Amino acid sequence: RVCHPDVIGPEGAAITSLLGEAVDLLDGRADRLSYNAGLPGGLGSESSAAFEWGSLGDVEFSQDGWADLPPEERGPQHTAQARIVVDEVACIGCRLCTELAPETFEMRQLPYGQNAGGGLTARALLQWGNAEEDLQYSIECCPSACIYWIQRDALRTVEYVCQAEEYQPGGDRRRGAGLAANGNFDPLKGVQMWRPVDEGLNLAEEGKICPEGYGNARIDERVVAAWAELPAEAQQRARSVV
């Protein structure tokens, strides 16, 4: 209330907007964990301190269309804020999901090439790009049963594990798990040897949430700029109530 535009005028608009964003962030577990994970020094878990996310710039994370889905196309999974992922090792590259839900799924050629589809996989690139009925039908019709609903909190971590270089055959994380010699998929036996979705869900369960990026410099810059816009009297009053 000290900085609200109704109290001090338009100079308080920027700081009030940031305060609103902070409330939304603290009110949502996924956003809060992601923010904490990017803080320098971390906040009490390996996700923010010791755990490294070295391939952030190379991962094709999905965009989110949850809020834009028309009400008549929503269902229980949308209400639960679920998100959808493909086990890219198990995918056989049949393209069925891209036909049933073309706004959500696209095909990608994996650089390491080791999966049930000979290197070709579907990938969810726009969350909730299609109606829930179409997404559920894609899951049920998938011949390799490799499409899953997961919690929103875990999405970015799962996407990271599916694509990041250190989780591919011979990568640092695979060596650390004693799986350096294992490929992703044995084509002769038809056996999946690496399950990235399970690994990503396990990491998220342990509190290792893939961050949006390193640090929060952009937010810090906005705070400094918004504070500078406040009249001196408002700054003084704000300090007195903090």
Side-chain angles (χ1 to χ4, degrees):
R1 290 178 295 193
V2 172
C3 301
H4 198 278
D6 290 346
V7 177
I8 66 170
E11 295 89 346
I15 198 75
T16 300
S17 176
L18 282 170
L19 289 170
E21 290 179 29
V23 170
D24 291 341
L25 184 146
L26 292 172
D27 203 36
R29 181 173 182 270
D31 292 335
R32 185 173 67 252
L33 289 173
S34 180
Y35 179 86
N36 289 347
L39 290 174
L43 286 180
S45 73
E46 192 185 356
S47 64
S48 53
F51 202 84
E52 296 181 359
W53 308 88
S55 300
L56 278 176
D58 301 321
V59 174
E60 188 178 35
F61 293 106
S62 61
Q63 300 298 307
D64 195 73
W66 180 86
D68 300 325
L69 192 70
E72 65 273 14
E73 297 183 358
R74 301 175 182 181
Q77 296 292 349
H78 187 275
T79 301
Q81 299 195 38
R83 299 298 190 268
I84 202 164
V85 295
V86 177
D87 182 334
E88 299 187 1
V89 174
C91 181
I92 62 174
C94 70
R95 302 177 186 271
L96 181 58
C97 62
T98 65
E99 298 174 4
L100 297 174
E103 301 302 320
T104 298
F105 299 101
E106 294 185 25
M107 301 304 296
R108 289 291 184 268
Q109 188 70 40
L110 300 177
Y112 52 90
Q114 294 190 20
N115 77 335
L120 187 65
T121 184
R123 181 174 294 167
L125 292 180
L126 175 60
Q127 297 293 325
W128 295 101
N130 296 92
E132 181 168 329
E133 182 179 7
D134 295 332
L135 296 176
Q136 185 61 41
Y137 195 49
S138 298
I139 292 174
E140 295 173 358
C141 293
C142 177
S144 56
C146 68
I147 307 175
Y148 305 93
W149 292 114
I150 64 172
Q151 293 182 344
R152 175 194 171 201
D153 296 11
L155 174 64
R156 193 171 172 88
T157 303
V158 170
E159 291 179 331
Y160 185 92
V161 172
C162 283
Q163 300 179 49
E165 182 179 356
E166 61 264 35
Y167 283 101
Q168 305 313 321
D172 293 342
R173 293 289 177 186
R174 293 283 282 273
R175 286 198 298 271
L179 298 172
N182 291 352
N184 287 340
F185 187 83
D186 187 333
L188 297 179
K189 297 180 180 179
V191 175
Q192 183 175 354
M193 304 174 70
W194 169 248
R195 300 184 182 277
V197 173
D198 290 348
E199 176 67 17
L201 291 174
N202 288 338
L203 288 177
E205 183 68 23
E206 295 170 1
K208 302 181 180 74
I209 304 297
C210 181
E212 294 291 332
Y214 290 110
N216 295 278
R218 186 180 65 84
I219 296 176
D220 294 341
E221 291 169 1
R222 291 175 60 201
V223 170
V224 171
W227 179 260
E229 292 181 13
L230 294 177
E233 182 180 355
Q235 291 182 1
Q236 185 176 359
R237 292 181 61 194
R239 289 191 183 99
S240 69
V241 299
V242 173

